[in-house]
Amino acid sequence: MDDIPKSAANYPPGHPTQADISAEIADIAANAPTSSDPNWGAHRTLIDYPPYRSSILRHPSANLELVDPETIELASPAFGHRDVHWTEFDLTSQVNGEPQGERIIVTGKMTDADGRPAAHQLVEIWQANAGGRYRQKKERHPAPLDPNFNGVGRVITNADGEYKFVTIKPGAYPWPNHENAWRPAHIHFSVFGNQFTERMVTQMYFPGDQLMPLDPIFQSITSAKGQKSLIADYAHDVTVPNWALGYRWDIVLNGSNRTWFASEDGPEEDE
C-alpha cells in the first residue's frame, strides 16, 4: 500500500479541486433558469459552463447567423478515405488478437423528430480502451495501450434506422480540468442524419456510473431529461449468453426530444 502515490500529477497553487468543481455544479443547478425566464436554456447544453474550464474560452461569443440550408448542402461531408466495410462495426476483431476488457454490444435506432427512421446513414464511434486510454499520439494517460484495440468503428444504419457495434467497455480516465478529475466511461458518437445539417457529435454513458455527478461535461446538460437521453439502458435481450452484455441507446436527431449534443468534439486530453 505504501507504493500507491498520493498523486501522479503536480497541480499549481489555487488549482480547483473536485470539491470546488462540485460546488460550482451545485450552485448552477440551484440557480438554473426556469421556463418562466425569457432566457430559459435549461433544456439544452450550457455552452458557457464555468465548471468545464475550457468551455469558457471555447464557446461561441458572437451572435449566431442565419444561413441558407440549401447552400450548406452543396458541400458534401467526407466520410473517410474508403467506403464503410461491413466488418467495421466490430471493434474487437479489427486486429489479429482479442482485446482486453469487457466485451459489450451497443445497439439502437436513429430517428428524426417525428419518429421516422434515419435509414442508410453513417454512425461513427471512437473511445478509450478498457484501461481508459485512447490510441493516439497525444494521449498522456499512463494506462497501458492495448495492441489489439484501435478504438474506432463505423456502421451504416439499416432500413429501419438501426445500428449495432461490438466493442469493449471503455475505462474512466483522468483529464486536466481540475485536480483529480476523471471522465466517466463513455463512447463518442458522430452521426449524420438525412441531411448534413443534422450532423451531431455526442457521448453515450453507462448506467450507474458514480463519476457522472462529478463530471462537468455531463453536468453541463442541466435537465434530467437531457442527461437521461445520454445514458444507455442495459438490454438483456441484446446480451449474448456467455459472450457479451448488451446496451440499447436510441438517437433522436432533432426536435424537442432530440439527443443532447456534446459541447466538445474530441478526446479531452487534447484540449
Side-chain angles (χ1 to χ4, degrees):
M1 291 179 65
D2 293 338
D3 295 334
I4 299 176
K6 292 184 181 300
S7 175
N10 294 318
Y11 297 97
H15 195 72
T17 65
Q18 181 64 63
D20 296 328
I21 295 298
S22 294
E24 292 181 21
I25 291 173
D27 181 67
I28 292 173
N31 295 283
T34 65
S35 57
S36 61
D37 190 317
N39 297 315
W40 182 51
H43 63 290
R44 55 186 170 84
T45 306
L46 297 182
I47 58 176
D48 180 9
Y49 190 70
Y52 180 14
R53 289 297 191 255
S54 61
S55 74
I56 300 172
L57 299 176
R58 294 171 55 228
H59 77 278
S61 57
N63 293 329
L64 298 177
E65 294 186 11
L66 293 175
V67 295
D68 180 10
E70 293 185 1
T71 301
I72 295 177
E73 292 293 339
L74 293 177
S76 299
F79 292 152
H81 298 293
R82 57 183 172 78
D83 291 340
V84 178
H85 194 272
W86 71 270
T87 60
E88 291 185 61
F89 85 100
D90 188 351
L91 282 69
T92 68
S93 64
Q94 295 175 351
V95 193
N96 294 328
E98 286 277 347
Q100 297 294 310
E102 176 188 339
R103 185 187 294 110
I104 61 173
I105 301 167
V106 178
T107 188
K109 187 172 184 178
M110 186 163 66
T111 62
D112 65 13
D114 297 318
R116 295 171 298 195
H120 312 304
Q121 302 303 316
L122 178 68
V123 182
E124 301 170 306
I125 65 170
W126 64 97
Q127 63 169 90
N129 65 20
R133 182 166 178 173
Y134 288 97
R135 194 180 183 91
Q136 58 175 341
K137 293 181 179 179
K138 293 183 179 181
E139 174 64 87
R140 296 186 294 273
H141 180 25
L145 275 173
D146 188 337
N148 295 316
F149 189 71
N150 291 328
V152 294
R154 302 189 299 173
V155 72
I156 301 295
T157 59
N158 65 16
D160 295 321
E162 297 168 336
Y163 72 89
K164 180 181 289 185
F165 288 100
V166 176
T167 185
I168 296 297
K169 187 175 182 179
Y173 60 82
W175 64 303
N177 188 74
H178 55 276
E179 184 178 341
N180 206 14
W182 289 81
R183 292 298 330 277
H186 61 277
I187 297 177
H188 296 268
F189 272 73
S190 169
V191 300
F192 289 85
N194 294 316
Q195 52 193 2
F196 184 49
T197 51
E198 288 182 334
R199 191 200 177 205
M200 178 174 61
V201 177
T202 190
Q203 300 176 15
M204 186 207 83
Y205 297 85
F206 293 86
D209 195 315
Q210 300 295 318
L211 290 173
M212 285 188 289
L214 306 178
D215 180 46
I217 294 181
F218 181 77
Q219 293 298 326
S220 68
I221 300 170
T222 57
S223 73
K225 181 180 179 181
Q227 290 182 353
K228 188 177 185 301
S229 74
L230 295 180
I231 303 173
D233 293 317
Y234 169 70
H236 202 65
D237 60 318
V238 175
T239 296
V240 176
N242 299 320
W243 196 71
L245 292 178
Y247 294 89
R248 180 172 284 106
W249 189 57
D250 295 332
I251 302 169
V252 181
L253 292 170
N254 48 34
S256 60
N257 292 318
R258 70 186 182 280
T259 302
W260 307 117
F261 62 85
S263 55
E264 49 79 38
D265 58 4
E268 296 76 25
E269 298 294 298
D270 294 345
E271 296 171 0

